[in-house]
Amino acid sequence: MAKFLIVEARFYDHLNDLMIKGVTAELKRSGHEFEVLTVPGALEIPGAISLAVESGEFDGYVAVGVVIRGETYHFEIVAGESARGIMALTMDGVAIGNGILTVENEAQALTRAKPDEKDKGGEAAKAAIALYELGQRFAA
């Protein structure tokens, strides 16, 4: 059994609730423990994970958030930089499942967030678990 930290950027409560439901269902189904940490936005997720890694308290991480395209360039910055930060940590050997949705509109987000539809939260948890298990395999 491993302990995972779910780091969520809670901006759209109803969408995050669905994402968290998918993540926690998968972690419970797999027999893992977890905690949830809320940060202000998707840009803060990689930093929060980096700080948590330093604590040594967790075996893996699931990043959860929703970024919906608006009228400004901000969408590209948030989507790209949060993904880049998560990928940099992953390349350093941190087991992270990226469940940050980057979508054009709320309808796309709902379809992806709902556990009974695309279940991107559950998929992110599965990715985190898979990377954790790979880390255990190669650490031996």
Side-chain angles (χ1 to χ4, degrees):
M1 174 173 49
K3 186 173 182 182
F4 288 83
L5 181 64
I6 304 164
V7 181
E8 68 159 345
R10 182 164 280 276
F11 193 80
Y12 301 98
D13 288 338
H14 63 296
L15 297 170
N16 269 64
D17 288 345
L18 293 168
M19 292 288 291
I20 293 291
K21 184 176 180 182
V23 173
T24 58
E26 184 59 35
L27 291 173
K28 287 176 185 175
R29 188 190 67 71
S30 300
H32 297 295
E33 295 179 357
F34 60 87
E35 286 183 28
V36 178
L37 174 69
T38 302
V39 297
L43 286 174
E44 289 75 38
I45 290 174
I49 292 173
S50 180
L51 292 169
V53 166
E54 290 178 21
S55 78
E57 189 178 342
F58 300 96
D59 301 301
Y61 304 86
V62 183
V64 175
V66 179
V67 183
I68 299 176
R69 184 181 300 278
E71 297 177 4
T72 68
Y73 185 69
H74 187 66
F75 171 87
E76 283 81 5
I77 293 169
V78 173
E81 292 302 311
S82 62
R84 185 192 60 76
I86 290 169
M87 183 55 68
L89 289 165
T90 302
M91 296 302 291
D92 285 340
V94 181
I96 305 173
N98 187 349
I100 300 175
L101 301 180
T102 53
V103 296
E104 297 292 326
N105 54 54
E106 187 174 341
Q108 289 178 350
L110 274 169
T111 298
R112 286 157 180 75
K114 288 181 179 177
D116 61 343
E117 290 191 35
K118 294 202 181 251
D119 192 21
K120 296 299 181 178
E123 287 183 15
K126 288 177 185 176
I129 293 166
L131 287 171
Y132 162 74
E133 291 172 351
L134 278 174
Q136 295 298 298
R137 175 182 169 200
F138 291 122

